[in-house]
Amino acid sequence: MADKKKRRRADSDSNSASQPFKNLLKSDAQILQILKSVTSSSSSSTSKPLTLADLALSSTCREVSDLSLSSVQSTIESLVLQLTHQILSGQGFSFTVPSRSSSNQLYVPELDRIVLKDKSTVRPFSHISSVRKTTITAKILSLVHQLCLKNIHVTKRDLFYTDVKLFQDQVQSDAVLDDVSCMLGCTRSSLNVIAAEKGVVVGRLIFSDNGDMIDCTKMGMGGKAIPPNIDRVGDMQSDALFILLVEKDAAYIRLAEDRFYNRFPCIIVTAKGQPDVATRLFLKKMKMELKLPVLALVDSDPYGLKILSVYGCGSKNMSYDSANLTTPDIKWLGIRPSDLDKYKIPEQCRLPMTEQDIKTGKDLLEEDFVKKNPGWVEELNLMVKTKQKAEIQALSSFGFQYLSEVYLPLKLQQQDWL
């Protein structure tokens, strides 16, 4: 009998050694109580979000809005009529396109997002350096007008394949599509051009997708693909306490298979790397309708923080639509540079930062949206100083389920987020 007790004690000690800090965990009921208090304070906030119109900015800024198909169609027709008058009056054929260059971007601390200023450039057909881009712009406008007339959606890839020789590369047709959105003053989704499905969601969420009710607890490990057309999503219902935004597919699969959302009621969402428009819109919709805190789990490297900032502050490439694409007040849960020592991540699971990584980290330290968060600055300085990075999967050195069984529960228990 004594031998059995010794063996049990030895097993317990061995488990604590292989899964450090597990002994610090409180019961699930106690952690849930902590989370409920956080959620209630988040949902009780009734302050109306600030908009550009509420601020007296020294710079004039440009924002787009959702337009109906008929409005997009009439705007294109008005633009073509103006071009016709230009040509007939001998002024030539040119587009005035809002500039989306870095110099025309502005971070607004009060809104905590990047917006587009009002500088524009002229794209003349008669100039050799811009003739091709002007032709692509005219082609994209023509294709969008067709979509308005037929009331159908196409993917960006479909658009590219209408004239491969002209576009040459989908990057070029995608860039001009964003230019067209700016010119017309509408969101990209208003053009009825969508990206292929990329993001997925699983957990305590029920919503309607084009009239069909979807229960995300019954979607298996793979979860439900986030619809590329956010307009068909509605009737969101949830008993979750928070939204867990995950950078990578591998960590998402681990949490989905472990049914982490049942142990700690939550909604888990990922764009499998770089955030796509549909996932950003879907996250914003969940945050606004469900009034839940959003906690982000990304790699401990400069690119993880860049991905987090795209969700929260917007991308410079699509700053013209940041009002619709950004989710306010996302908390950085992990994995943070300070976690590498705090959770005793083994040296063999840490990676040396490349010169490009270090440069990216230093560049981020110069960004206004990073400077606004002292915690982010501290973590980034630590990363650049130690020249070490780590992926979420580094936690697997303590066991494949350490992420869901110890790391995340302890983070939630300690409310350890920035």
Side-chain angles (χ1 to χ4, degrees):
M1 190 72 172
D3 287 343
K4 284 184 179 179
K5 285 183 179 178
K6 284 180 183 177
R7 276 199 300 273
R8 277 200 298 270
R9 194 157 46 241
D11 289 343
S12 176
D13 292 342
S14 171
N15 192 45
S16 296
S18 64
Q19 292 198 320
F21 307 106
K22 189 171 184 178
N23 60 324
L24 298 180
L25 279 176
K26 296 180 179 179
S27 68
D28 286 0
Q30 289 174 297
I31 298 174
L32 287 171
Q33 201 57 45
I34 294 169
L35 288 173
K36 284 174 183 174
S37 66
V38 173
T39 305
S40 62
S41 63
S42 175
S43 59
S44 62
S45 176
T46 55
S47 58
K48 183 184 175 184
L50 282 174
T51 64
L52 266 180
D54 298 323
L55 306 175
L57 297 178
S58 56
S59 302
T60 306
C61 298
R62 184 190 305 269
E63 277 193 322
V64 299
S65 57
D66 282 314
L67 295 182
S68 64
L69 280 184
S70 58
S71 296
V72 173
Q73 180 184 331
S74 62
T75 306
I76 292 174
E77 290 168 356
S78 297
L79 177 60
V80 171
L81 198 58
Q82 289 174 24
L83 293 173
T84 305
H85 285 308
Q86 280 181 24
I87 295 167
L88 292 175
S89 62
Q91 298 175 34
F93 168 33
S94 63
F95 290 110
T96 301
V97 183
S99 170
R100 293 187 293 116
S101 64
S102 296
S103 61
N104 200 38
Q105 316 275 345
L106 176 69
Y107 172 73
V108 183
E110 297 88 343
L111 302 177
D112 193 23
R113 58 183 172 85
I114 301 167
V115 298
L116 190 67
K117 293 194 283 188
D118 66 343
K119 181 183 174 184
S120 295
T121 58
V122 177
R123 192 174 287 173
F125 182 75
S126 58
H127 202 286
I128 192 167
S129 65
S130 57
V131 59
R132 189 168 158 276
K133 207 161 190 179
T134 307
T135 307
I136 293 174
T137 307
K139 178 70 173 179
I140 295 288
L141 281 166
S142 171
L143 292 170
V144 170
H145 189 258
Q146 288 180 42
L147 297 178
C148 294
L149 292 174
K150 295 180 180 178
N151 192 15
I152 57 172
H153 292 81
V154 297
T155 65
K156 292 192 293 181
R157 194 69 176 165
D158 288 328
L159 215 64
F160 167 67
Y161 271 104
T162 58
D163 199 331
V164 176
K165 287 185 178 178
L166 172 63
F167 298 139
Q168 294 181 2
D169 189 301
Q170 191 180 327
V171 172
Q172 297 187 42
S173 59
D174 287 354
V176 172
L177 185 66
D178 286 326
D179 289 339
V180 167
S181 287
C182 282
M183 289 165 59
L184 301 179
C186 66
T187 61
R188 203 173 72 188
S189 54
S190 297
L191 304 179
N192 273 18
V193 181
I194 57 177
E197 291 180 345
K198 182 187 176 192
V200 287
V201 60
V202 74
R204 310 289 273 264
L205 175 69
I206 296 173
F207 67 93
S208 67
D209 180 359
N210 208 25
D212 299 323
M213 294 307 294
I214 307 295
D215 185 345
C216 294
T217 61
K218 299 175 180 176
M219 291 288 125
M221 273 177 54
K224 170 72 174 76
I226 292 173
N229 183 4
I230 198 68
D231 295 336
R232 71 188 199 190
V233 173
D235 301 323
M236 285 187 168
Q237 305 164 38
S238 178
D239 63 350
L241 298 176
F242 61 97
I243 298 167
L244 185 60
L245 175 63
V246 182
E247 176 188 348
K248 286 185 168 177
D249 196 28
Y252 169 88
I253 289 172
R254 174 78 277 128
L255 295 169
E257 185 177 34
D258 291 348
R259 307 263 179 183
F260 182 78
Y261 52 82
N262 284 336
R263 183 180 174 191
F264 299 104
C266 64
I267 302 165
I268 306 172
V269 63
T270 183
K272 303 177 184 178
Q274 284 295 332
D276 60 308
V277 169
T279 304
R280 291 165 68 186
L281 287 169
F282 191 82
L283 180 67
K284 171 75 176 282
K285 191 176 181 70
M286 285 196 294
K287 168 77 175 178
M288 294 295 101
E289 292 194 10
L290 302 176
K291 303 285 190 295
L292 294 174
V294 181
L295 308 178
L297 179 67
V298 298
D299 287 339
S300 177
D301 62 25
Y303 307 103
L305 190 56
K306 281 186 83 170
I307 284 172
L308 172 54
S309 70
V310 168
Y311 282 112
C313 306
S315 65
K316 290 184 177 180
N317 190 44
M318 295 191 72
S319 57
Y320 65 89
D321 196 15
S322 63
N324 297 304
L325 293 174
T326 54
T327 301
D329 199 28
I330 298 178
K331 305 299 185 185
W332 186 8
L333 185 64
I335 289 177
R336 302 200 300 270
S338 59
D339 287 344
L340 303 191
D341 285 339
K342 181 180 178 181
Y343 286 87
K344 300 179 181 178
I345 304 293
E347 285 295 327
Q348 68 268 23
C349 297
R350 307 183 191 192
L351 299 168
M353 291 175 69
T354 64
E355 289 301 317
Q356 184 58 46
D357 291 336
I358 295 169
K359 181 182 181 302
T360 303
K362 289 179 177 178
D363 288 345
L364 275 172
L365 283 166
E366 297 302 314
E367 295 285 359
D368 290 331
F369 60 81
V370 171
K371 290 177 182 176
K372 187 189 175 187
N373 296 278
W376 287 28
V377 173
E378 187 179 339
E379 292 287 350
L380 258 177
N381 275 323
L382 178 62
M383 186 191 299
V384 172
K385 180 183 175 183
T386 59
K387 298 181 180 179
Q388 288 185 324
K389 61 182 180 179
E391 297 185 3
I392 301 168
Q393 282 67 46
L395 294 168
S396 297
S397 60
F398 303 127
F400 293 121
Q401 293 178 298
Y402 187 77
L403 173 67
S404 57
E405 291 185 350
V406 180
Y407 179 79
L408 286 178
L410 193 56
K411 281 274 187 177
L412 297 173
Q413 174 184 307
Q414 297 172 344
Q415 299 181 51
D416 183 16
W417 50 70
L418 297 176

